[in-house]
Amino acid sequence: MDPALSAVRLSVREAVHTLSSEDGGRIFSTLGSLKRYLGQTENPALPGEQEEFARVHFSAFLRCLVSKLSPDWLELLPDGQLEELWASFFLEGPADQAFLVLMESIEGTAGPSFRLMKMAQLLARFLSAGRMAAVLEGQCWQHTESASPLLQETLLIRVVTLPDRLGNRLQRESLAVFLPQNYFPLLGEEIVRVLQAVVDSLRGGLDCSVSFVSQVLGKACVHGRQKEILGVLVPRLMALTQGSCLWQRVCWRLVERVPDRAMEAVLTGLVEAAPGPEVLSRLLGNLVMNSRKAQFVLTQKLLFLQYRCTTPMLQSLLGYLATDSQRRPLLVQAGPCCRQALKELLETWGSSSAVRHTPLPQQRYVSKAVLICLVHLGDAELHDSRDELLASLMAGVKCRLDSSLPPVRRLGMVVAEVASTRIHPEGPPLRFQYEEDELSREMLALATSRPAADGSLETGPSVPPVAADTPDKEPEESDIPQPPPDGSDSELDSDDEFVPYDMSGDQELKSSKAPMYVRDCVEALTTSENWERWEAALRALEGLVFRSPAATREVSVELAKVLLHLEEKTSVAGFEGLRQRALVAVTVTDPARVAKYLTSQFYALNYSLRQRMDILDVLTLAAQELSRPGRLGRAPQRGSPGPASQPSSAVAPAWRAVVEERIRSKTRRFSKGSVGRGPAAGPNEFNSVAGYFFFPLVQHFDRPLVTFDLLGDDQLVLGRLAHTLGALMYLAVNTTVAVPMGKALLEFVWALRFHGDAYVRRGLLSAVSSVLLSVPAERLLADLPDELLEARAWLADVAEKDPDEDCRMLAVKALLLLEKLKDKLLPLSFP
């Protein structure tokens, strides 16, 4: 047996025996002599002895030190001398073994105790002293004996899951350094220190490996800690890789050695943390060309299978692909072994199926990616692929303009404007009329700047200057003062002293008076060539209808026909509102006859889609007015006052309100009751006419006409019809016809439940909720049990799988109503 090895074994055995004694001085002396095997004394042991101690005895000796830890044992020497010497073995010995023993002892200690807190405090000192860098660095040197895979896997798990394990053991007593928001930034700093040591070793001619550091980084990102660790790592690496090829190579190898299962998490975090494509290029290099997993993540998953990237992230990602000649084919040129990202983006953008079955946020995401790719295309590339780009873009624009959802239509308009300006800068600009919002402004800004040849940004196409050959236009500003015209007395005839006359209360004088009767309005709207009389009749019609209900009923159908076909012949302010309110007034005054006429015209020939949607809007507003409680007790205050109203009538409510307020403030009351009366009770007028509004609309929706096909291209009107039927069902609450209406509406919903348009599905889901709210619970269970079971299964499927967010929300609300219905009926069934 080697005498040197026997001496190490004997020394360790003697030290273990001495630790069991109660002689503090002897323990201190023995531990001090044993430290020479760590190389921390003036007379260190031989290298072979140090290696034997570290490889064979160190972990076992640390476990022995942990087992002796107690308050009485530490007090064998005063002033904490023994505790400091005891802790030095963990802080100065081999870092990986010390770390594993510390974690093992903390996890193995039962319950809150003195030993548990001391070990936790020692682990906190271990981390604060930078020993975690020594743990990671010990796995990087290839010239030493390689560690076993089991040891590396154990270290990897303990390093990454340290906050979770310490939190489970310490509970409320956990230290601040063990919190995830503090630990992972510290781990990022330690990784930078390890990489610095690796760079120094490479400069010294030594071989190193960053595989273990890559595994730690990947596992931390898989656990969802990208922001904490990369928020520290990326800014440091961004500064270190600036102008240093060696640091760039180390970073490339660091990311390249990340396991495939963690590659997505690491790349996503890097794209999010990198401030631009230039930094991302320094950190990743040509990783996307060398790793199939990285190529799939960067060119497929982040662009098509997810839509979590923000606009700056998309700009960094696509800019990274476009800024290097080796990576650029992945973006703009298809190859035998790679797929072109721009081509696939355009295929997705132009797919009608994608428009119908992808959520709106993902459509916005793909649209931004397409515009960013267009920004990175050069003039030659645009010229070569102009026809293909236009075909794909215009196909997507057409699909979106045909959509029933206003945000989708607006998205198609914005992309069409920006893309046409980029593809055809020399042609006339394409302009749509839409309401601008934050998204449209952001997408328009994507085309204002594009990368130049040197990588900097140059401004996009600017507004052309005014032509010089326009002598008719004088310059707006001039530095040379212009002399006044001859004969002007500007100083004598100045008007600055005169105060302008207040003309805010003036009214335009009309040559014709407003009609006084409903029949006169009908005549004026149909035969009059006097446009002032025509406008006056339209403005006075609503008030006359409400003041003369008997006269209105005599001509109600004729008047409804005139208003339905009425076209704006002059520029009348608020024409659509005046026409709609007059139609609503006529329908409310004579609901049965007018509703019968309007519903029959909804499926008639030779009507535009706008007129059919006007019919639905009028029926909804009229039903809402008829179902309003106490409607007959209040005079309708709609539109402009009639011609018989006096000018002082607008002032009377003001002074009357002032007088009532003074009386109320000076009146002493001895009890606090309700000051105002509640709404007057009365019958629901919609009860007797609900069938005229509802059933004709739900009968013929599946019969296509020559110019009207609800199940075909006219899905916008179908969606409006579904919403209208749901509103009528909701307004028919507590009416005798609610049950047959609910059954017919559920049949309508069941026939269209798999419709591809999101707007139609929203209307169907709203209709289901209206049925659950309007039909009494007992009647639902008695008359519609099968329909409820089928609707429940369908709603659950929509809530889980529908691509539209609003549809999922409406389905969840309907399911909640079903649950409330079940809870309401169960107590009645089981008294």
Side-chain angles (χ1 to χ4, degrees), residues 400-413:
R400 282 161 179 81
L401 292 181
D402 291 340
S403 174
S404 304
L405 302 178
V408 177
R409 294 198 297 270
R410 188 186 305 119
L411 186 63
M413 297 176 191

Side-chain angles (χ1 to χ4, degrees), residues 587-600:
T587 309
V588 169
T589 304
D590 193 4
R593 296 171 59 195
V594 176
K596 185 177 180 180
Y597 168 74
L598 290 178
T599 53
S600 65

Side-chain angles (χ1 to χ4, degrees), residues 538-539 541-542 563 566 568 572-585 610 614 617-618 621 638-640:
L538 180 61
R539 293 188 180 277
L541 181 57
E542 181 188 7
L563 290 172
L566 191 64
E568 185 179 4
V572 179
F575 168 78
E576 292 295 338
L578 293 171
R579 171 173 165 269
Q580 184 186 74
R581 288 196 297 270
L583 260 175
V584 171
R610 179 70 266 174
D614 288 342
D617 293 340
V618 168
L621 293 173
R638 296 167 176 250
S640 58

Side-chain angles (χ1 to χ4, degrees), residues 519-781:
R519 288 186 179 273
D520 294 341
C521 288
V522 175
E523 180 183 356
L525 292 175
T526 54
T527 62
S528 177
E529 296 295 336
N530 186 344
W531 304 125
E532 290 188 0
R533 185 166 181 264
W534 184 86
E535 180 180 349
L538 180 61
R539 293 188 180 277
L541 181 57
E542 181 188 7
L544 290 175
V545 167
F546 281 119
R547 283 195 300 272
S548 306
T552 302
R553 293 189 185 96
E554 296 177 0
V555 293
S556 58
V557 176
E558 180 184 358
L559 181 56
K561 181 178 181 180
V562 170
L563 290 172
L564 184 61
H565 293 83
L566 191 64
E567 296 181 357
E568 185 179 4
K569 299 180 179 180
T570 61
S571 181
V572 179
F575 168 78
E576 292 295 338
L578 293 171
R579 171 173 165 269
Q580 184 186 74
R581 288 196 297 270
L583 260 175
V584 171
V586 175
T587 309
V588 169
T589 304
D590 193 4
R593 296 171 59 195
V594 176
K596 185 177 180 180
Y597 168 74
L598 290 178
T599 53
S600 65
Q601 298 305 301
F602 180 76
Y603 290 107
L605 292 172
N606 301 325
Y607 278 94
S608 66
L609 299 183
R610 179 70 266 174
Q611 288 174 309
R612 300 181 197 276
M613 290 191 289
D614 288 342
I615 291 174
L616 297 177
D617 293 340
V618 168
L619 291 174
T620 303
L621 293 173
Q624 185 178 359
E625 179 67 23
L626 289 170
S627 64
R628 182 163 54 91
R631 190 183 68 85
L632 296 178
R634 295 195 299 269
Q637 303 292 336
R638 296 167 176 250
S640 58
S645 60
Q646 300 297 328
S648 61
S649 61
V651 184
W655 67 259
R656 186 175 291 112
V658 172
V659 172
E660 291 178 355
E661 179 63 28
R662 288 179 181 176
I663 295 175
R664 197 160 39 245
S665 62
K666 296 180 180 296
T667 302
R668 184 180 180 184
R669 291 182 173 85
F670 297 97
S671 64
K672 293 290 184 180
S674 58
V675 179
R677 293 181 300 174
N684 185 349
E685 296 182 57
F686 188 58
N687 180 19
S688 58
V689 295
Y692 295 100
F693 284 70
F694 182 86
F695 290 108
L697 291 178
V698 81
Q699 285 179 353
H700 306 300
F701 70 93
D702 55 346
R703 298 181 184 178
L705 302 176
V706 177
T707 58
F708 186 48
D709 185 7
L710 284 177
L711 301 183
D713 296 334
D714 300 326
Q715 54 194 9
L716 175 61
V717 185
L718 179 61
R720 186 70 67 86
L721 173 63
H723 283 86
T724 300
L725 293 175
L728 295 176
M729 183 73 247
Y730 179 74
L731 295 172
V733 62
N734 298 327
T735 61
T736 56
V737 76
V739 176
M741 285 176 61
K743 188 169 184 178
L745 186 53
L746 286 180
E747 292 178 356
F748 172 82
V749 170
W750 197 248
L752 300 172
R753 65 190 185 280
F754 296 124
H755 199 279
D757 189 77
Y759 183 63
V760 176
R761 296 198 303 274
R762 292 179 190 178
L764 300 177
L765 293 166
S766 300
V768 172
S769 298
S770 300
V771 172
L772 297 177
L773 290 171
S774 301
V775 181
E778 296 79 5
R779 299 300 304 274
L780 277 174
L781 188 61

